[in-house]
Structure formats: C-alpha cells, structure tokens
Amino acid sequence: MSGAVDRLVARFDHHDPEFTPEVAVAVHRRLREVGEPVHSAAHGGLWVLARYRHVFDALKDHGTFSSAQGVFFPRGADQPRFAPLEYDPPEHTAFRSLMRPALAAAAVRAVEPRIDRLAAEVVRPLVARGSADLVAELTTTLPLAVLATTIGFSDAARGEILELTRTTWSRMATGGQFWPQFAALLDAEIARARRDHDGTYLAELVRTEVDGAPVTDEQLRVMLVAFAIAGHETTMNTTGHLLWRLAQDPDLAARLARDPGARPAAVDESLRLDAPVDHGSRVTTREVEVGRTTIPTGSRVLLAVGAANRDPERFDDPEAFRLDRGPARHLSLGQGIHFCLGAQLGRRQIVAVLDELAAAPPMTLDGPVRRHYANGRHLNLAALPVRWGA
C-alpha cells in the first residue's frame, strides 16, 4: 500500500486502479500535510487542492474556478454538460431556477409521507426475512422510487437509470460511448410527459416556456440526466456507508434507535467521513494564488472534498464519527452557487430509513463488503450483506 500512496501523492490520478477508498485515506492525509496545492502530470496536468480552507474558498469562487468546461475529467467525447453543475452564470442560474421547484423545501415537505411509506415498504420485508444485501435491496431501490415520485420518471425509466449510470461511469473516462443510450431513455420520458400531463414536475417542465420560447429537448436532456444520476447516486452511497457503519457499531446503532433527534447529525457525519463524491474539478479563469502557490490561468484543478472533510485544521478528531459536531460544515454537498439542490430530499430519505430500522432487531454484517470508486470519484458499495437478530 505504501508504494501506491507514494506514487499517487507524487502523481495523483483518480483513475489509477490502486486509488481505492482505503488507499485514498492515506493519500488524502499526505496531500493535506503538504499544505499547498500539489501538481500532478496525470491527464495532461492538474492541480489538487486538499486543505479544507483551499477547497472551501474555491467552491465559493465560481468566477475564478469555472465549471463551464465540465467537472468530470477526463470526459467522454459525446458527453454533454450536465445542468446546472457544469455551467457558469447566467446559464447556471437559468437551469437552477427551472430545476429548483422539484426539490425546494415545500416540495420535499409535500412528499414526506410518501417517502416514509416507501421506506417502510422497502425496509420492513427485509427485516422480517432476517437478512438482506442492503445495496441490491435497499440503497439502490429506495432513492430511485423517491426519484420517480418527486420528478415523475416512469417505472420503466426507473428500472434503467441504475444500469445506465453504471455504464456512464465505466465508459466516461475512457472515451467510450454512453450518451446515446441515456439520451434515448430521456427522449422517451420527454415524449411520454408531453403526451400525458399527469401532474408531475416532469409534465410541467416539458411545457415550460422561458422568455416566450419552450424549453428545448437539449435543455431538457441535460437537466433530466442530472436528476436521474444525482437524484439517486449520492443518497444511495451515503445510505449504504451509514448502514455499513451501524452494522459494525452496535453502540451507535442503539443510540440512533433511541434518539430520533440524533439521526440528522448521523447523516451529516456520514457525508463528511465517507464523502459520496471524492472530488470535483474546475478550470481557472485567471491566475490565482492558493496559499503560497500560483496556479496559472486555464489550469485544471481537482477539489479533493474527501481530503478536506478530514482536515484537522477544521475538524476536531477528524477521523472519528461524532454526533456532536454541530455546525462544522463538511463539503460533500458543495458550497456556493453549486450547493446540492437535492440535499434536503436526500437527507430526508436517509432519516426515513433510520426511523424504520429503529424498531428492528440489532443489525450485523453477514459477509464481505466491497467498496470502490466509480469513475474514480463516486464512493460505491458493491454489496452490503447484513442480518438482523441473533
């Protein structure tokens, strides 16, 4: 492991096959200890920011650290920019205003009873059976069901989104083709929503006009692909990692079972320690000083959120899972204009799962757990086998 860590610190490459979640912890620590941005020759050259203050400041400064050349890097040749994350103002502002109504606080409150019912429908049969693979049977299925409820995707689309997302991550970095398949699904959903006004957000969106002109199919696709992927990926991975932790820590599980007020803090601490997206990238629009380092105009910069979230300069006892951190802000949901639109909806789903598990017998691991970075950045669990009771 030490050889991989040395190599990745000297030449950071998130697509290196040895950049695993376990190795990443050591790599992040070493990058933080440098104290300054680190340059890597990988992929034509990039800078890595690993200290909390550097990543936070870059996330807030969208004028200098631009998203308009995409946050995924490298990216597929046929890949569009996903809205609103891969746009700068004013395009970003226009897309976000169109997408916000589906995920605003009032919209989340309106679907809370449905989220609770969906969580119960998924969790209770698994507990009654006594065992489950929580990835295959809970963390992938519930977010997609909630996505259908909040956005208006069809049941058929819901069944395809997970596999299309996996294809996207596996092919994006190598330049492999993935967008035509995703676009075909989205076009079918757009056509269905235009035929049948069923009262969903999607049905309203396809009939929306901006400055007197209908929203175009191209605009609809780049918004819907973001809803489809971001709408389940972060919640899926955060839920899985928190449940993995609870299955190994009976004291923490018991605390959350008896204290509903601690459950939101547990969600945020899981987001901090197991950042569902290890990093995003930006491109500098001007020469900029970060610490004592000058980063030139036009540089690709990786914002290592996974490293920043464990920075001892920002967080006391940063490697510990603590429910008493209060307002200390992790960066897993972004900052500034790109703060996650679906943050409230995602948190609400995870708390609904914790509410259901509070009444269940103790949960323990029932087999090996495999983790990996999809597309070099998305912290995935491949399986999470558990058992309830003795």
Side-chain angles (χ1 to χ4, degrees):
M1 176 171 159
S2 62
V5 172
D6 290 342
R7 187 179 70 256
L8 286 162
V9 171
R11 187 182 188 276
F12 183 82
D13 181 356
H14 50 296
H15 290 294
D16 188 306
E18 291 192 89
F19 184 64
T20 65
E22 293 72 29
V23 168
V25 174
V27 172
H28 289 163
R29 182 183 303 113
R30 291 270 300 277
L31 290 171
R32 284 195 308 268
E33 288 170 352
V34 173
E36 291 288 311
V38 174
H39 188 265
S40 168
H43 307 292
L46 55 91
W47 292 87
V48 183
L49 275 56
R51 298 307 301 267
Y52 182 98
R53 66 181 184 274
H54 296 159
V55 175
F56 179 87
D57 288 348
L59 287 169
K60 296 283 283 187
D61 185 1
H62 63 270
T64 300
F65 295 90
S66 168
S67 297
Q69 295 186 48
V71 304
F72 301 99
F73 175 73
R75 59 195 297 115
D78 64 341
Q79 180 185 343
R81 289 181 290 153
F82 297 168
L85 180 58
E86 297 193 295
Y87 290 82
D88 292 336
E91 293 88 353
H92 168 272
T93 308
F95 277 123
R96 196 168 174 102
S97 67
L98 290 169
M99 299 172 74
R100 185 183 295 112
L103 303 170
V108 174
R109 286 194 296 270
V111 298
E112 280 183 351
R114 177 63 175 153
I115 292 172
D116 292 339
R117 287 196 299 272
L118 287 169
E121 290 168 5
V122 174
V123 172
R124 291 180 189 181
L126 304 181
V127 174
R129 193 175 71 205
S131 65
D133 176 355
L134 293 182
V135 170
E137 299 179 273
L138 169 59
T139 67
T140 55
T141 58
L142 179 59
L144 289 168
V146 172
L147 186 65
T149 294
T150 53
I151 304 302
F153 284 112
S154 67
D155 288 343
R158 198 173 97 190
E160 292 185 58
I161 286 170
L162 182 64
E163 285 306 314
L164 285 170
T165 301
R166 289 171 173 167
T167 299
T168 298
W169 298 154
S170 66
R171 296 182 181 177
M172 183 183 290
T174 62
Q177 191 177 75
F178 69 86
W179 180 241
Q181 301 96 307
F182 227 133
L185 171 69
L186 301 176
D187 285 344
E189 290 296 287
I190 291 166
R192 177 189 58 79
R194 285 195 173 122
R195 288 194 309 269
D196 178 18
H197 195 321
D198 57 6
T200 63
Y201 163 80
L202 177 55
E204 292 289 343
L205 181 64
V206 300
R207 292 168 173 81
T208 298
E209 293 188 353
V210 177
D211 296 330
V215 179
T216 68
D217 284 3
E218 181 180 0
Q219 292 168 329
L220 289 168
R221 289 187 203 105
V222 297
M223 288 187 284
L224 291 179
V225 71
F227 279 129
I229 294 178
H232 81 275
E233 178 90 11
T234 298
T235 304
M236 173 184 77
N237 293 331
T238 302
T239 307
H241 278 82
L242 179 52
L243 298 183
W244 177 49
R245 190 174 297 276
L246 295 182
Q248 300 173 86
D249 189 340
D251 291 338
L252 177 62
R255 164 79 186 276
L256 296 183
R258 67 176 181 266
D259 185 1
R263 293 167 197 167
V267 174
D268 269 311
E269 188 67 342
S270 189
L271 281 164
R272 183 188 71 83
L273 266 178
D274 297 307
V277 180
D278 179 72
H279 62 269
S281 78
R282 303 288 193 268
V283 174
T284 54
T285 61
R286 63 178 180 85
E287 183 177 278
V288 59
E289 298 290 326
V290 179
R292 298 184 303 276
T293 301
T294 300
I295 298 179
T297 305
S299 297
R300 178 67 65 169
V301 181
L302 263 60
L303 309 181
V305 167
N309 279 351
R310 297 184 182 218
D311 190 340
E313 186 180 87
R314 176 66 183 181
F315 300 99
D316 294 334
D317 196 11
E319 301 298 326
F321 189 98
R322 287 174 42 179
L323 298 176
D324 62 350
R325 292 197 182 276
R329 288 185 292 180
H330 63 76
L331 301 179
S332 291
L333 300 174
Q335 288 293 323
I337 66 168
H338 293 295
F339 187 80
C340 177
L341 271 170
Q344 185 168 339
L345 181 66
R347 286 188 176 112
R348 186 63 185 78
Q349 291 177 63
I350 303 171
V351 169
V353 171
L354 296 178
D355 291 346
E356 283 297 318
L357 290 175
M363 179 176 69
T364 55
L365 291 178
D366 194 35
V369 173
R370 294 166 297 154
R371 302 193 303 155
H372 65 281
Y373 282 120
N375 195 30
R377 67 185 220 130
H378 298 272
L379 184 59
N380 274 218
L381 283 165
L384 181 55
V386 300
R387 182 172 298 277
W388 286 275

